[in-house]
Amino acid sequence: MKLKKLVSAASVAAVCASAMVSPAQAEVEHYVLDPAHTETLFFISHLGFSNMPGRFAELEGEFHYDKDNIPASKVTVTVKTGSVDTFHEKRDKHLASPDFFNAAEFPEMTFTSTSIEMTGDKTAKMTGDLTLLGVTKPLTLDVTFNREGLHTFNKKDHVAGFSATGSFKRTDFGMGFGMPGKPGGIGDEVELRIEAEGIRQ
Amino acid sequence: MPSFFSDPMVQSSLLPLTLALVLTGLLRLLLGPVRGRRIANLSVILSFFILACLIQGLIFPPVGSTHKIPYLLGGLALVALLVDLLPVRGKALMVLLVVVPALALGWLNATRWAGADSELLVKEALLYGATLLVLWSLFRQRGRGLDGVVELLFASVGFAAISLMGASALLTTQGFALAACLGGYALWNWPRHRFALGGGVLMAAVGLVLLINQALLLTDTSVLALALLLPVFFADSLFSPLEKRWPLNDVTRPLVIALVCLLWVLIAAGVSFSINPITADAGY
């Protein structure tokens, strides 16, 4: 009898609480990254001669976009390190080895935003935790919100897209192979360029 | 100058060779004719530890198994120091040679044990079994000149060549570095044998096992090619029946052993090459 009363009291409380919270949460929209239109590109110095590009073929992520309070928005991205693609199969195999991404031991690299600071109408600095090779360090990205609206062709999906740039030192994460930071070595600084689209759920 | 020391070619040859050569002489000089002779072989594991720190850097706390290698080599250097300083001999040393690699492999793979599948368990069991065989082989060769040192040197060269084909230049650099450390130590012992094979060389063998563990679990290195390196540690036994007919001395014996080892290493590397060939378009 006592248990029944407790359960019904808890149910009433939960309904009341959700009714109170709902108006505020209505502004927060949940988007899932569209892998077909999301690219994480990186550039790294090859022995000082050129800045070679690469990408990760497999990633997934989502963001909670609060239109009225953008700093409250949240982004999480998970990248499969074994999907590193520098347009050269043998080099990709080497990049996935313990020399660099150590994909067998650390199959994922993650980014979780911790704060967003608006710097203009459509630009912001997004800071978050980047976890690579089991080491977590802060990473700040310069983000530009490009467009949000109905998909031009299918008229069904509500899409939000943004671009981001940033950089980090690979040695901060224990990726020290190949004389990083030395002239004639493989670069330490990794330049990032992210192009992403999310589909509202 | 810093970029000279961070050049993988220097890190895997000249630097470890010189370091081991100098450290061996210093240990002998500083510790005297009795203790110095016994402890001089510590230079091998000590140089290897220093080189691993230089090649990989020290990440604290070590998160991944790759980051743990320098710490484990530091630990092995301490064990070697105790073995040669006390000294630890006979059954006590045998027990140590069973326990130390088990503990080292246990911690190296600590994050993997929880979700271990049968493939991992079989690989680790085989690796541990092979480790005991290698250590037993080196243990029985104490006081027999350079035999064990030459065998370990060629096994390291073989491992380095095979792991290069398995696409890990980091393991390759460390494999060649270990071989060069052994080379620096061997230069003091040839043509005249001076110092005993002790804890320093035995723990360096455990260090090689740790690198093999990484190659087995994290790269496409050929298991068959790595297994073919095992007979290298029995090169001395291979021609011992012939020794009665053609006796060898301290000068010729290491050379003959080196030839036998080289043959095995070439076979193992050839098998590896047939599976993972190095091509000009490697992308480096």
Side-chain angles (χ1 to χ4, degrees):
Chain A
M1 194 63 185
K2 269 186 180 175
L3 185 69
K4 255 189 176 177
K5 273 185 181 174
L6 267 175
V7 170
S8 50
S11 307
V12 171
V15 169
C16 291
S18 68
M20 284 162 71
V21 171
S22 289
Q25 281 183 339
E27 301 304 320
V28 180
E29 294 168 340
H30 178 214
Y31 288 79
V32 170
L33 287 180
D34 172 10
H37 297 97
T38 300
E39 286 291 351
T40 304
L41 302 163
F42 63 85
F43 297 85
I44 190 158
S45 167
H46 175 244
L47 317 180
F49 296 123
S50 64
N51 292 304
M52 291 306 293
R55 64 187 276 268
F56 292 96
E58 290 174 37
L59 60 83
E60 55 190 42
E62 58 177 3
F63 53 93
H64 291 90
Y65 179 50
D66 190 338
K67 245 188 267 186
D68 301 329
N69 183 18
I70 288 176
S73 301
K74 286 265 175 199
V75 180
T76 53
V77 181
T78 302
V79 172
K80 303 284 179 200
T81 51
S83 72
V84 61
D85 177 11
T86 60
F87 319 104
H88 191 289
E89 200 182 332
K90 286 214 164 182
R91 186 170 55 214
D92 296 343
K93 195 174 152 189
H94 186 205
L95 285 171
S97 80
D99 298 4
F100 295 97
F101 287 101
N102 198 0
E105 197 171 1
F106 298 102
E108 291 181 348
M109 169 169 65
T110 61
F111 176 79
T112 308
S113 71
T114 51
S115 70
I116 299 174
E117 182 197 333
M118 295 304 291
T119 53
D121 283 351
K122 290 200 159 195
T123 57
K125 278 199 183 294
M126 183 196 289
T127 302
D129 291 328
L130 177 68
T131 302
L132 171 60
L133 295 172
V135 178
T136 302
K137 298 268 177 190
L139 169 70
T140 300
L141 297 169
D142 291 311
V143 184
T144 302
F145 300 99
N146 298 323
R147 188 186 162 217
E148 183 220 339
L150 209 57
H151 192 288
T152 312
F153 299 122
N154 74 13
K155 311 280 186 201
K156 190 182 76 183
D157 293 331
H158 190 93
V159 182
F162 62 90
S163 307
T165 56
S167 68
F168 63 89
K169 283 187 191 296
R170 65 187 177 103
T171 48
D172 287 346
F173 296 87
M175 192 191 285
F177 185 76
M179 297 195 293
K182 308 286 186 303
I186 299 167
D188 192 6
E189 193 91 2
V190 181
E191 299 286 340
L192 288 172
R193 179 168 173 187
I194 298 157
E195 295 293 333
E197 289 182 20
I199 299 172
R200 194 167 71 189
Q201 302 301 295
Chain B
M1 207 58 179
S3 59
F4 173 78
F5 288 123
S6 55
D7 186 331
M9 296 294 273
V10 176
Q11 286 176 340
S12 59
S13 57
L14 192 64
L15 196 56
L17 185 98
T18 313
L19 192 62
L21 188 72
V22 171
L23 274 178
T24 308
L26 267 178
L27 285 167
R28 161 66 184 83
L29 191 74
L30 295 174
L31 298 171
V34 179
R35 197 178 275 183
R37 271 176 205 275
R38 205 172 62 220
I39 294 177
N41 82 124
L42 186 69
S43 64
V44 177
I45 184 70
L46 210 54
S47 315
F48 188 31
F49 163 62
I50 293 168
L51 260 297
C53 293
L54 203 64
I55 294 166
Q56 288 194 197
L58 272 179
I59 302 292
F60 183 81
V63 187
S65 60
T66 307
H67 301 156
K68 288 178 184 173
I69 295 283
Y71 290 93
L72 280 167
L73 292 177
L76 291 175
L78 278 176
V79 173
L81 178 67
L82 286 176
V83 167
D84 292 336
L85 197 66
L86 289 175
V88 181
R89 285 181 179 147
K91 279 186 182 166
L93 181 56
M94 284 176 82
V95 170
L96 205 68
L97 294 180
V98 171
V99 172
V100 169
L103 289 176
L105 287 170
W107 186 58
L108 184 64
N109 298 312
T111 53
R112 298 190 182 109
W113 296 128
D117 55 9
S118 54
E119 189 191 340
L120 174 76
L121 294 175
V122 168
K123 274 183 177 174
E124 285 303 308
L126 289 174
L127 180 63
Y128 183 62
T131 305
L132 295 184
L133 267 176
V134 167
L135 291 174
W136 172 74
S137 173
L138 293 173
F139 178 81
R140 73 186 163 87
Q141 293 183 54
R142 287 163 304 142
R144 261 204 258 160
L146 263 182
D147 295 8
V149 175
V150 171
E151 288 167 3
L152 185 56
L153 188 155
F154 274 89
S156 305
V157 169
F159 165 75
I162 291 166
S163 62
L164 182 66
M165 294 174 229
S168 176
L170 187 68
L171 291 173
T172 301
T173 309
Q174 291 177 96
F176 279 127
L178 174 56
C181 291
L182 288 156
Y185 171 74
L187 285 176
W188 280 98
N189 290 285
W190 191 85
R192 207 186 108 206
H193 183 237
R194 291 186 171 90
F195 309 126
L197 186 159
V201 175
L202 288 166
M203 290 305 121
V206 179
L208 177 62
V209 168
L210 300 180
L211 298 184
I212 291 173
N213 177 87
Q214 297 301 86
L216 273 177
L217 301 186
L218 304 178
T219 72
D220 287 342
T221 304
S222 161
V223 179
L224 176 64
L226 287 174
L228 282 171
L229 289 177
L230 194 56
V232 167
F233 290 96
F234 298 90
D236 59 308
S237 311
L238 223 68
F239 67 90
S240 57
L242 303 172
E243 247 190 317
K244 284 173 191 164
R245 218 164 150 184
W246 297 292
L248 299 168
N249 57 33
D250 274 359
V251 180
T252 54
R253 192 179 164 86
L255 296 176
V256 175
I257 290 199
L259 275 175
V260 177
C261 290
L262 180 66
L263 187 70
W264 271 111
V265 166
L266 287 175
I267 291 170
V271 167
S272 178
F273 187 76
S274 68
I275 298 165
N276 294 315
I278 298 177
T279 52
D281 64 337
Y284 302 115

